[in-house]
Amino acid sequence: MASNQQNRPRIGELAKDRDSGRIGVVMGALGGRVQLRPVDGGIEWDAMPDKVTALRAREELSARLAVRNGNSRTGL
């Protein structure tokens, strides 16, 4: 399989961990793993770099909208 280096998200961008299906913000890399933080905050998790991909526009919009909706329900 070809490298998706050009498709790898940078720090601060939203990304998907294909192993867990979770979406998070790329916080950095340490020890050969990518560190992701949930979009709505919380504890970071580690993912294998080859399993982390940039979101498509529709996925990113959906993730951001879910956070906004959650915030509006809690009064944030």
Side-chain angles (χ1 to χ4, degrees), residues 8-29:
R8 293 237 173 107
R10 294 178 287 208
I11 293 175
E13 293 182 338
L14 289 178
K16 184 173 188 173
D17 175 359
R18 291 192 329 252
D19 275 345
S20 69
R22 296 171 70 189
I23 293 174
V25 179
V26 177
M27 302 305 292

Side-chain angles (χ1 to χ4, degrees), residues 31-62:
R33 300 200 180 225
V34 176
Q35 296 172 316
L36 299 161
R37 176 169 287 163
V39 179
D40 56 349
I43 299 173
E44 294 177 6
W45 77 93
D46 292 337
M48 297 304 293
D50 60 332
K51 298 295 184 178
V52 176
T53 58
L55 295 182
R56 292 176 287 187
R58 180 175 287 187
E59 290 174 313
E60 183 169 348
L61 179 61
S62 179

